[in-house]
mmCIF file of all heavy atoms in Angstrom:
data_model
loop_
_atom_site.group_PDB
_atom_site.id
_atom_site.type_symbol
_atom_site.label_atom_id
_atom_site.label_comp_id
_atom_site.label_asym_id
_atom_site.label_seq_id
_atom_site.Cartn_x
_atom_site.Cartn_y
_atom_site.Cartn_z
ATOM 1 N N LYS M 113 -13.107 9.999 -23.874
ATOM 2 C CA LYS M 113 -14.192 10.198 -24.785
ATOM 3 C C LYS M 113 -14.200 9.185 -25.812
ATOM 4 O O LYS M 113 -13.150 8.816 -26.395
ATOM 5 C CB LYS M 113 -14.092 11.590 -25.413
ATOM 6 C CG LYS M 113 -14.267 12.762 -24.442
ATOM 7 C CD LYS M 113 -14.094 14.112 -25.122
ATOM 8 C CE LYS M 113 -14.248 15.271 -24.146
ATOM 9 N NZ LYS M 113 -13.979 16.527 -24.798
ATOM 10 N N PRO M 114 -15.483 8.727 -26.215
ATOM 11 C CA PRO M 114 -15.553 7.754 -27.312
ATOM 12 C C PRO M 114 -14.974 8.324 -28.598
ATOM 13 O O PRO M 114 -15.088 9.518 -28.894
ATOM 14 C CB PRO M 114 -17.001 7.493 -27.531
ATOM 15 C CG PRO M 114 -17.666 7.971 -26.202
ATOM 16 C CD PRO M 114 -16.760 8.992 -25.624
ATOM 17 N N PHE M 115 -14.336 7.498 -29.380
ATOM 18 C CA PHE M 115 -13.707 7.812 -30.668
ATOM 19 C C PHE M 115 -12.419 8.622 -30.570
ATOM 20 O O PHE M 115 -11.782 8.837 -31.567
ATOM 21 C CB PHE M 115 -14.701 8.520 -31.622
ATOM 22 C CG PHE M 115 -15.981 7.836 -31.822
ATOM 23 C CD1 PHE M 115 -17.114 8.266 -31.326
ATOM 24 C CD2 PHE M 115 -16.009 6.670 -32.629
ATOM 25 C CE1 PHE M 115 -18.304 7.638 -31.526
ATOM 26 C CE2 PHE M 115 -17.203 5.935 -32.828
ATOM 27 C CZ PHE M 115 -18.364 6.432 -32.267
ATOM 28 N N PHE M 116 -12.004 9.003 -29.343
ATOM 29 C CA PHE M 116 -10.726 9.727 -29.270
ATOM 30 C C PHE M 116 -9.597 8.692 -29.230
ATOM 31 O O PHE M 116 -9.579 7.756 -28.425
ATOM 32 C CB PHE M 116 -10.700 10.543 -27.983
ATOM 33 C CG PHE M 116 -9.349 11.258 -27.764
ATOM 34 C CD1 PHE M 116 -9.077 12.419 -28.515
ATOM 35 C CD2 PHE M 116 -8.312 10.645 -27.078
ATOM 36 C CE1 PHE M 116 -7.824 13.063 -28.406
ATOM 37 C CE2 PHE M 116 -7.160 11.323 -26.977
ATOM 38 C CZ PHE M 116 -6.832 12.509 -27.613
ATOM 39 N N THR M 117 -8.619 8.878 -30.119
ATOM 40 C CA THR M 117 -7.473 7.997 -30.137
ATOM 41 C C THR M 117 -6.283 8.748 -30.733
ATOM 42 O O THR M 117 -6.488 9.674 -31.489
ATOM 43 C CB THR M 117 -7.719 6.655 -30.935
ATOM 44 O OG1 THR M 117 -6.585 5.842 -30.817
ATOM 45 C CG2 THR M 117 -7.919 7.000 -32.470
ATOM 46 N N THR M 118 -5.109 8.372 -30.312
ATOM 47 C CA THR M 118 -3.852 8.918 -30.929
ATOM 48 C C THR M 118 -3.118 7.759 -31.709
ATOM 49 O O THR M 118 -2.076 7.973 -32.252
ATOM 50 C CB THR M 118 -2.929 9.408 -29.863
ATOM 51 O OG1 THR M 118 -2.624 8.443 -28.894
ATOM 52 C CG2 THR M 118 -3.568 10.574 -29.089
ATOM 53 N N LYS M 119 -3.742 6.584 -31.714
ATOM 54 C CA LYS M 119 -3.163 5.427 -32.406
ATOM 55 C C LYS M 119 -3.604 5.321 -33.838
ATOM 56 O O LYS M 119 -4.774 5.646 -34.180
ATOM 57 C CB LYS M 119 -3.558 4.142 -31.673
ATOM 58 C CG LYS M 119 -3.100 4.089 -30.224
ATOM 59 C CD LYS M 119 -3.657 2.792 -29.579
ATOM 60 C CE LYS M 119 -3.454 2.870 -28.094
ATOM 61 N NZ LYS M 119 -4.012 1.675 -27.450
ATOM 62 N N LEU M 120 -2.679 4.922 -34.694
ATOM 63 C CA LEU M 120 -3.051 4.805 -36.116
ATOM 64 C C LEU M 120 -4.150 3.692 -36.289
ATOM 65 O O LEU M 120 -4.989 3.902 -37.180
ATOM 66 C CB LEU M 120 -1.809 4.350 -36.913
ATOM 67 C CG LEU M 120 -0.749 5.384 -37.061
ATOM 68 C CD1 LEU M 120 0.492 4.810 -37.747
ATOM 69 C CD2 LEU M 120 -1.299 6.592 -37.837
ATOM 70 N N LYS M 121 -4.133 2.688 -35.555
ATOM 71 C CA LYS M 121 -5.113 1.591 -35.742
ATOM 72 C C LYS M 121 -6.086 1.532 -34.521
ATOM 73 O O LYS M 121 -6.781 0.564 -34.350
ATOM 74 C CB LYS M 121 -4.403 0.210 -35.885
ATOM 75 C CG LYS M 121 -3.615 0.073 -37.096
ATOM 76 C CD LYS M 121 -3.008 -1.269 -37.292
ATOM 77 C CE LYS M 121 -2.211 -1.352 -38.586
ATOM 78 N NZ LYS M 121 -1.581 -2.611 -38.817
ATOM 79 N N GLY M 122 -6.199 2.593 -33.741
ATOM 80 C CA GLY M 122 -7.049 2.623 -32.617
ATOM 81 C C GLY M 122 -8.510 2.983 -32.989
ATOM 82 O O GLY M 122 -8.766 3.670 -34.011
ATOM 83 N N THR M 123 -9.439 2.495 -32.185
ATOM 84 C CA THR M 123 -10.861 2.895 -32.374
ATOM 85 C C THR M 123 -11.342 3.966 -31.488
ATOM 86 O O THR M 123 -12.358 4.566 -31.739
ATOM 87 C CB THR M 123 -11.773 1.641 -32.088
ATOM 88 O OG1 THR M 123 -11.584 1.252 -30.733
ATOM 89 C CG2 THR M 123 -11.438 0.500 -33.038
ATOM 90 N N GLY M 124 -10.609 4.256 -30.401
ATOM 91 C CA GLY M 124 -11.013 5.220 -29.487
ATOM 92 C C GLY M 124 -12.133 4.774 -28.519
ATOM 93 O O GLY M 124 -12.791 5.585 -27.885
#
Side-chain angles (χ1 to χ4, degrees):
K113 292 180 180 174
F115 303 109
F116 178 82
T117 186
T118 58
K119 300 175 187 176
L120 290 174
K121 295 183 179 181
T123 61

